[in-house]
Amino acid sequence: MPKAFVTDIDGTLTDDRRRLSMHAVEEIRRLVDTDIPVVLASGNTVCFIDALSKMIGTDGDIIAENGGVYRHGYTGTRHAEGDRELCLVAYQKIIDHFQPKGEELRLYSSEYRYSDVAFARDVDAGEVSRLLAGMPVQVVDTGFAIHLQPPGLSKGAALAKLAKLMGLTPADFLAAGDSVNDVSMLKSAGIAVVPANASPEARAAADDIMDKPFGEGTAEALARYFP
Ligand SMILES: O=C(O)COP(=O)(O)O
Ligand SMILES: [Mg+2]
């Protein structure tokens, strides 16, 4: 049985309308109540994940901004990595490209981010990638937002660092995710599971693909791997 659990949020604990699965929450609480560490790992912000961590009842071990930020416990040091200024320069280049065409971009919670820039999927992520080719910026389309993040950062890279702070290794974890931004975490975990809605990239990185989608699939995985 794995020693710990790390999970993506959007599309893995929620459905495609971002509605949280109560069944997945119940399963996570069962882990917490049996002293199994649970890490919430998302492209979203620290404050978003902290609120969810508090209301689910995990212990504040989090990975935010697709691995740009990680923290062990609510009172641990918030480790924010990479050069966000570069991502903001890249974002301005995108604005300059799309605005003349009448295509407006919508930033997501920029004032609460330390490492990346996230914006609405109102423009084509492939076009954004081509536009930024040659710049030291990763373009990540999670299915819920487009992220510009510094090179080398990922949920998997952050998991390796956070696990060390927790006295664990990534191989000690069961990992659950649904999208391309989870692949690095799925590949480094001891066991990788994905719900039925997972993207092709996430499915390719999984050891086990659940029959059920979204949070129901993750609840299914927790019952299976943490009986
Ligand atoms: O913030 C996003 O883009 C998606 O969030 P997730 O990593 O929890 O799926
Ligand atoms: Mg997701």
Side-chain angles (χ1 to χ4, degrees):
M1 189 164 88
K3 292 182 184 168
F5 176 50
V6 57
T7 182
D8 168 57
I9 298 173
D10 285 312
T12 303
L13 297 183
T14 77
D15 65 15
D16 52 351
R17 295 184 298 166
R18 305 187 70 190
R19 290 164 68 94
L20 190 60
S21 159
M22 292 302 103
H23 191 181
V25 168
E26 285 162 14
E27 283 297 297
I28 289 174
R29 287 171 177 164
R30 181 172 64 82
L31 265 58
V32 173
D33 293 344
T34 49
D35 298 322
I36 304 279
V38 176
V39 175
L40 300 180
S42 173
N44 219 309
T45 60
V46 171
C47 51
F48 177 92
I49 304 170
D50 265 351
L52 186 62
S53 180
K54 286 277 185 189
M55 299 180 83
I56 290 179
T58 60
D59 294 330
D61 295 325
I62 65 168
I63 293 170
E65 302 182 33
N66 285 326
V69 184
Y70 62 94
R71 189 197 65 214
H72 177 27
Y74 290 109
T75 58
T77 303
R78 185 184 61 232
H79 298 271
E81 311 207 329
D83 178 358
R84 185 168 193 251
E85 284 312 307
L86 213 56
C87 299
L88 289 166
V89 168
Y91 181 68
Q92 187 56 52
K93 187 172 178 180
I94 300 167
I95 292 175
D96 296 344
H97 172 79
F98 284 105
Q99 212 154 42
K101 297 194 277 184
E103 295 188 70
E104 293 302 322
L105 285 93
R106 291 180 292 134
L107 274 174
Y108 280 154
S109 50
S110 191
E111 63 274 36
Y112 302 118
R113 290 181 180 272
Y114 302 96
S115 173
D116 79 351
V117 171
F119 54 97
R121 299 173 74 240
D122 298 334
V123 292
D124 176 63
E127 190 172 350
V128 170
S129 292
R130 287 188 294 277
L131 193 63
L132 300 182
M135 283 190 77
V137 168
Q138 297 180 74
V139 179
V140 182
D141 178 3
T142 67
F144 290 86
I146 299 174
H147 296 253
L148 307 179
Q149 64 176 141
L153 301 182
S154 69
K155 290 188 188 181
L159 179 63
K161 296 167 198 166
L162 177 56
K164 199 169 182 182
L165 295 177
M166 297 170 70
L168 297 166
T169 70
D172 292 323
F173 283 78
L174 172 78
D178 73 302
S179 177
V180 67
N181 66 320
D182 301 312
V183 167
S184 60
M185 176 172 85
L186 293 168
K187 284 183 172 175
S188 65
I191 303 173
V193 298
V194 297
N197 57 287
S199 72
E201 303 89 349
R203 295 169 81 94
D207 298 305
D208 198 355
I209 300 173
M210 296 296 113
D211 297 330
K212 295 177 184 167
F214 303 119
E216 289 309 308
T218 302
E220 181 189 1
L222 292 178
R224 182 176 300 173
Y225 290 95
F226 293 98

